[in-house]
Amino acid sequence: MTEDTQSLLALFGRLLENRTFASAALRTRYNREDRGQASRGQVRLLHLLNQHDGLTNTEIAVELDIRPSSVSALVKKLLDANFVERLADPDDKRVSKIFLTDDGRAFLKGASRLQNDFSQTCFNGLTDAEQAQLRELLTKLIAGLDESGDDWQDLMQQAHRWHHQFDHFSGQSFGGPWFDRRH
């Protein structure tokens, strides 16, 4: 079984070495509506405004759990790109609200379309049944990793230490639990 599991891990490694795939997979995870909290920066703010248009800087800071100065910087960049607009609150002229513009909506729509096209292209070699089976297997794999929690972290720390020992190898024999000097 070890050879089979090593082969599977190597295949995952090859998949993740494909920068286009890895980048799109991470971006997809961060931009999913049900994972909105995990997305980053300007896109995160655009998604928030797409769901709740007309927020104040204070409301944005609370919703995104970021500093008010960070909100100001994000809003300024998005104003410069014409993705948002700042309008005075009709009920209280001292307050400004941030709204998504048509350009902002078009950007989100284009990003969503690109994401959909990429996922279609990525998995078009699999039948619907194979995609469902892959989804089920990956979900099971992730659940198993989540359940192993501390054991998984300990194993990764051991591998990290071993890697650094190997990096610092200076021509001497390896020792310790990983290597037997006789081999």
Side-chain angles (χ1 to χ4, degrees):
M1 185 74 122
T2 300
E3 193 172 313
D4 287 341
T5 57
Q6 288 177 357
S7 174
L8 286 171
L9 199 55
L11 287 171
F12 272 106
R14 284 189 55 205
L15 188 58
L16 294 175
E17 283 176 350
N18 181 309
R19 288 185 180 173
T20 304
F21 175 85
S23 177
L26 287 172
R27 207 173 296 118
T28 298
R29 179 176 181 265
Y30 290 136
N31 290 336
R32 297 242 342 217
E33 287 181 8
D34 60 342
R35 294 276 193 176
Q37 296 290 342
S39 61
R40 301 283 184 241
Q42 297 170 36
V43 174
R44 186 176 175 201
L45 178 51
L46 290 174
H47 281 290
L48 175 64
L49 292 172
N50 195 42
Q51 294 172 351
H52 309 285
D53 214 7
L55 297 176
T56 65
N57 278 20
T58 302
E59 291 168 331
I60 292 169
V62 169
E63 285 294 319
L64 298 182
D65 192 26
I66 59 176
R67 295 184 316 268
S69 60
S70 298
V71 172
S72 296
L74 286 174
V75 168
K76 178 165 181 0
K77 289 178 183 177
L78 293 171
L79 282 166
D80 291 346
N82 196 37
F83 286 171
V84 300
E85 61 184 342
R86 185 187 326 254
L87 301 174
D89 186 329
D91 299 326
D92 185 350
K93 299 293 182 200
R94 298 170 296 167
V95 176
S96 294
K97 293 194 173 197
I98 311 302
F99 293 88
L100 202 55
T101 64
D102 289 341
D103 287 349
R105 283 185 186 77
F107 173 81
L108 286 175
K109 187 180 260 184
S112 178
R113 186 173 34 254
L114 185 61
Q115 183 178 327
N116 289 339
D117 290 349
F118 182 83
S119 64
Q120 277 298 123
T121 301
C122 184
F123 296 106
N124 70 0
L126 301 176
T127 66
D128 289 346
E130 290 168 333
Q131 288 180 33
Q133 183 180 20
L134 179 60
R135 185 179 308 105
E136 183 180 321
L137 291 171
L138 290 174
T139 301
K140 191 173 182 179
L141 177 66
I142 290 166
L145 290 173
D146 288 346
E147 286 176 14
S148 65
D150 290 340
D151 293 340
W152 177 251
Q153 292 299 327
D154 291 344
L155 187 60
M156 291 306 295
Q157 287 174 353
Q158 282 179 328
H160 183 74
R161 283 192 299 273
W162 174 81
H163 177 74
H164 283 288
Q165 283 178 334
F166 186 78
D167 281 349
H168 294 23
F169 177 57
S170 61
Q172 300 171 359
S173 297
F174 283 104
W178 293 96
F179 295 97
D180 181 346
R181 293 177 192 254
R182 293 172 288 168
H183 292 108

